[in-house]
Amino acid sequence: IFASEEIRNGVLSFTNSAVAYEELTAIAPTLNFEVGQIATLPIVAELAQSADDNANNLICIARQDWDSYETSWDYQQSALLSQSHDGSLEQASALLSQQWQTLSEEQRQREIRNNELVADAYGVRDDVPCDVPLERVSLKRNSAFVYPDKTPAERDELFARDVVKEFISYAVGCMFGRYSIDKPGLILASQGETVDDFRERVPDTRFEPDRDNVIPVTEVDCFEDDIVSRFRRFLEVTFGSDHLAENLAYIERTLGEPLRKYFVNDFYNDHVAMYKNRPIYWQYSSRTDNKGAFKALVYMHRYTLATTHTVLEYLRDFTAKIADQANQLERSDRAKDKHEAEKLHKAVTECKAYEDNVLYPLATRNLEIDLDDGVLVNYLRMGQALRTIPAIEKKRKDVATWIWPVHPLMSGQ
């Protein structure tokens, strides 16, 4: 809807009211409304004045709610870092939950007030319902709206789980230099930017981003700088080393699984879902499904010609380390150790096949990407080097003409 500044808030108040809904369901009792039906709605010009302040407050809280999520252009930092916490992540989460319960109820009262103002302006106060259930207050941080079929206790648990996952996602962003705990908003978000650019913008940082833009994600603890180690350091910096054990326990309790298991099995699924199947962190994987023995994350915006070669070096190091572990376990008399050795030998075979058939050929090609082509095209260019995302894979034929020249690695053969 296009409206002048003078009547904008009046139009917003009316179209978001119970009065407009009653009128629309009368003239268009279907699943959606067309332009013609909207255009027939009567507008009371004086409504803009009476509803102006209330509408501005509704807009302000809705914007605050939206901007607290990573996918907003105006996202600043993890919502948990804005809470006073005394080192306790659980306390910060509880305070955030209380804050948004209060804001959601205040927003509900504003929506009720909006319905009343519109109903009074049209003289139909006794003919339309003005009350608004909390489940209909469409804030993303309103747990009653997000989980309408859950009990209050279940809503609290799910809210805590979601904000912990958001915190982990923000931490990974800081690991890559996309964000910084010392400066709000985006830091590195343009093609070709490096850690040196990060240091220019955040000269006194408490948490350095990863220099080579490759962070291993493996079930076996083989690297000092893998994603779990980096996250532990991030948690120490943000919530204090004295509270590390307490906060790690809270995270694992809230996630319902060990932290390493979450990173290996679930983090990338959550990231892909958050970015609507257009991930900005890419996962190299020795298998195209979620069961690869070797995995590593890279940040798309910091991708260079050398990135795949760097991943290859991590892969070779990982393969050598698990081969040594397998050989040591084989010498044990315990059946459990021998079973683990067999599992590791299979992982070695998988990783060597990934190196020979996929990663080494791709590394020697020095493949370029162009951010202007978008995630879809660039992700498909990487072929079987990256974990398959079904929603992107379905688009392969649609973008085949972009991926040129066609190479067996990229065609899926």
Side-chain angles (χ1 to χ4, degrees):
I1 297 176
F2 296 89
S4 66
E5 189 73 20
E6 293 76 19
I7 66 168
R8 185 196 65 182
N9 280 359
V11 172
L12 283 171
S13 295
F14 171 65
T15 52
N16 283 279
S17 71
V19 173
Y21 183 75
E22 291 291 326
E23 292 179 352
L24 284 168
T25 52
I27 62 176
T30 57
L31 294 177
N32 63 304
F33 309 125
E34 303 293 343
V35 173
Q37 282 110 22
I38 300 293
T40 62
L41 296 176
I43 299 295
V44 176
E46 294 76 14
L47 183 61
Q49 295 178 351
S50 61
D52 190 61
D53 289 341
N54 193 58
N56 282 330
N57 289 331
L58 282 160
I59 293 168
C60 180
I61 297 302
R63 180 178 288 119
Q64 181 182 339
D65 172 67
W66 178 256
D67 288 343
S68 71
Y69 282 85
E70 190 178 308
T71 48
S72 166
W73 283 107
D74 295 317
Y75 176 74
Q76 301 297 301
Q77 65 174 3
S78 166
L80 288 177
L81 294 181
S82 64
Q83 305 298 312
S84 57
H85 48 71
D86 294 330
S88 170
L89 194 65
E90 183 173 9
Q91 179 186 350
S93 177
L95 288 172
L96 185 66
S97 177
Q98 291 170 12
Q99 173 188 333
W100 279 101
Q101 285 179 18
T102 300
L103 288 173
S104 297
E105 176 57 31
E106 290 174 354
Q107 194 80 334
R108 184 177 88 90
Q109 295 301 325
R110 293 188 190 99
E111 292 197 15
I112 292 171
R113 179 59 180 156
N114 183 71
N115 282 338
E116 292 172 347
L117 288 168
V118 175
D120 288 343
Y122 284 77
V124 292
R125 182 71 171 270
D126 297 329
D127 301 308
V128 296
C130 291
D131 189 39
V132 177
L134 190 59
E135 288 77 8
R136 291 290 302 276
V137 178
S138 55
L139 299 174
K140 288 165 66 66
R141 295 240 179 253
N142 175 16
S143 58
F145 171 73
V146 179
Y147 318 111
D149 300 327
K150 303 297 183 181
T151 66
E154 290 171 332
R155 291 171 182 174
D156 290 343
E157 291 179 5
L158 291 168
F159 182 93
R161 182 203 63 184
D162 288 347
V163 297
V164 163
K165 287 184 177 183
E166 291 168 25
F167 179 72
I168 292 173
S169 179
Y170 174 74
V172 173
C174 291
M175 294 177 202
F176 283 119
R178 180 173 176 84
Y179 308 114
S180 169
I181 58 175
D182 299 300
K183 186 176 181 179
L186 291 172
I187 309 298
L188 301 182
S190 299
Q191 189 163 0
E193 291 184 326
T194 66
V195 173
D196 291 335
D197 295 311
F198 179 92
R199 287 173 177 160
E200 284 185 13
R201 293 164 196 170
V202 193
D204 299 317
T205 182
R206 291 173 292 158
F207 187 80
E208 283 275 342
D210 185 74
R211 172 157 284 280
D212 61 20
N213 190 39
V214 177
I215 302 178
V217 185
T218 55
E219 188 173 354
V220 180
D221 185 3
C222 291
F223 299 98
E224 292 183 357
D225 65 339
D226 75 349
I227 199 162
V228 176
S229 299
R230 287 188 174 279
F231 180 76
R232 288 171 65 94
R233 287 200 290 274
F234 178 85
L235 195 54
E236 284 182 312
V237 172
T238 52
F239 281 82
S241 56
D242 293 342
H243 299 271
L244 178 61
E246 166 198 339
N247 289 329
L248 283 173
Y250 171 70
I251 288 171
E252 293 187 338
R253 187 169 68 251
T254 303
L255 293 175
E257 61 183 335
L259 182 62
R260 183 172 294 276
K261 186 175 181 181
Y262 171 73
F263 273 121
V264 170
N265 295 331
D266 299 318
F267 170 77
Y268 201 62
N269 292 334
D270 289 338
H271 176 68
V272 171
M274 178 187 290
Y275 282 85
K276 309 297 183 185
N277 296 309
R278 297 297 183 268
I280 57 172
Y281 310 136
W282 291 356
Q283 188 176 87
Y284 284 76
S285 177
S286 54
R287 284 177 52 167
T288 55
D289 58 16
N290 193 33
K291 298 180 180 179
F294 172 83
K295 298 173 185 175
L297 289 176
V298 305
Y299 178 29
M300 173 188 177
H301 294 65
R302 287 181 58 197
Y303 176 93
T304 68
L305 297 180
T307 297
T308 300
H309 190 272
T310 303
V311 175
L312 178 60
E313 292 176 348
Y314 276 98
L315 172 67
R316 288 170 172 169
D317 191 10
F318 175 75
T319 305
K321 287 177 177 177
I322 63 173
D324 287 342
Q325 287 184 28
N327 292 333
Q328 291 175 16
L329 289 169
E330 258 187 349
R331 293 192 285 269
S332 171
D333 294 330
R334 297 173 58 195
K336 183 179 179 181
D337 290 342
K338 290 187 179 298
H339 176 74
E340 184 64 22
E342 182 181 355
K343 179 181 174 182
L344 289 173
H345 279 308
K346 289 181 180 178
V348 169
T349 301
E350 175 188 308
C351 290
K352 287 183 176 178
Y354 179 55
E355 175 183 345
D356 295 340
N357 301 329
V358 179
L359 208 56
Y360 177 75
L362 184 63
T364 58
R365 293 185 60 234
N366 294 322
L367 181 68
E368 293 187 56
I369 69 170
D370 185 343
L371 290 186
D372 290 339
D373 290 341
V375 174
L376 175 62
V377 170
N378 286 313
Y379 201 92
L380 287 174
R381 279 182 175 138
M382 305 298 290
Q384 294 178 321
L386 303 180
R387 180 183 147 190
T388 297
I389 297 174
I392 289 182
E393 193 63 26
K394 289 178 182 178
K395 300 287 186 178
R396 182 177 292 278
K397 291 182 180 179
D398 298 339
V399 299
T401 55
W402 284 70
I403 306 176
W404 184 90
V406 174
H407 185 278
L409 286 175
M410 291 153 34
S411 64
Q413 297 176 1

